[in-house]
Amino acid sequence: MQIREANLEDLAAILDIYNEVIATTTAVYNDDPLTPGEFAVWFQDRTAAGYPVLLAEDDDGRALGFSSFGDFRTRPGYRFTVEHSVHLTADARGKGIGTALVQALFPRAQALGKHTMLGAVDADNEGSIRFHEKLGFVQVGRLPQVGFKFGRWLDLVYLQRFIDETSSGPAPDA
């Protein structure tokens, strides 16, 4: 397996991964699949902002997953905070690929002067919460019933990890 910067030729494979996640999980609170045009705009916005879109592929060049980060919010006071995403094909989950994809984001965020990285995870996705905690993320908030998908209300958990040297993490009671 290798991780590399994604390019325009990778968008169809990445979109297939993302749309499968939309269709089968609550990892993304979208009801409808994205179109190639919508996804191209997302990719162009990320790369134009200098943010990475990373692709993991097997030795045969098959896409296994991707990761990225973008602005948490657009107001200037949040400029040092990014929110990441990582998504894998169903058969690539649980094999360390997601870990490698997220770990590859940390030095890129640090090089851009970012201070903290957030992950937003469906509260029922205990596997993803444990995954993030193993990577040093700490639960810092829960937003009850902010999402709705598959006929039910969904709670969102925010996890945070500091990526620079100026803080060791949120206060224990945060």
Side-chain angles (χ1 to χ4, degrees):
M1 190 239 355
Q2 72 166 348
I3 295 175
R4 63 172 176 80
E5 298 284 337
N7 57 52
L8 287 173
E9 291 76 33
D10 300 316
L11 285 189
I14 294 171
L15 180 59
D16 286 345
I17 294 168
Y18 195 70
N19 281 338
E20 186 273 332
V21 169
I22 289 172
T24 63
T25 76
T26 56
V28 178
Y29 290 179
N30 287 26
D31 293 318
D32 300 316
L34 296 184
T35 66
E38 290 169 325
F39 207 66
V41 169
W42 172 86
F43 181 81
Q44 290 167 348
D45 287 348
R46 287 284 165 105
T47 56
Y51 294 147
V53 178
L54 304 179
L55 180 72
E57 59 186 8
D58 66 15
D59 293 335
D60 296 324
R62 183 177 74 91
L64 302 171
F66 71 98
S67 65
S68 185
F69 62 75
D71 294 322
F72 169 60
R73 297 195 175 197
T74 57
R75 300 209 193 285
Y78 296 105
R79 68 189 171 278
F80 300 108
T81 302
V82 292
E83 183 176 349
H84 82 284
S85 59
V86 58
H87 300 290
L88 305 173
T89 61
D91 63 336
R93 296 175 191 147
K95 298 179 179 176
I97 298 165
T99 296
L101 279 165
V102 174
Q103 286 175 330
L105 293 175
F106 298 149
R108 288 165 170 84
Q110 193 167 23
L112 292 171
K114 302 304 177 182
H115 173 64
T116 188
M117 184 176 287
L118 299 174
V121 177
D122 182 69
D124 288 338
N125 191 342
E126 294 175 12
S128 184
I129 291 170
R130 282 192 310 275
F131 163 81
H132 281 86
E133 290 172 342
K134 287 178 184 176
L135 286 167
F137 286 82
V138 175
Q139 290 187 49
V140 293
R142 182 183 185 111
L143 305 175
Q145 298 185 16
V146 296
F148 189 83
K149 189 172 180 179
F150 301 139
R152 67 183 197 275
W153 291 108
L154 304 170
D155 294 359
L156 187 69
V157 171
Y158 271 106
L159 296 109
Q160 178 182 20
R161 182 184 193 278
F162 290 96
I163 53 178
D164 63 18
E165 303 300 322
T166 62
S167 183
S168 60
D173 59 348

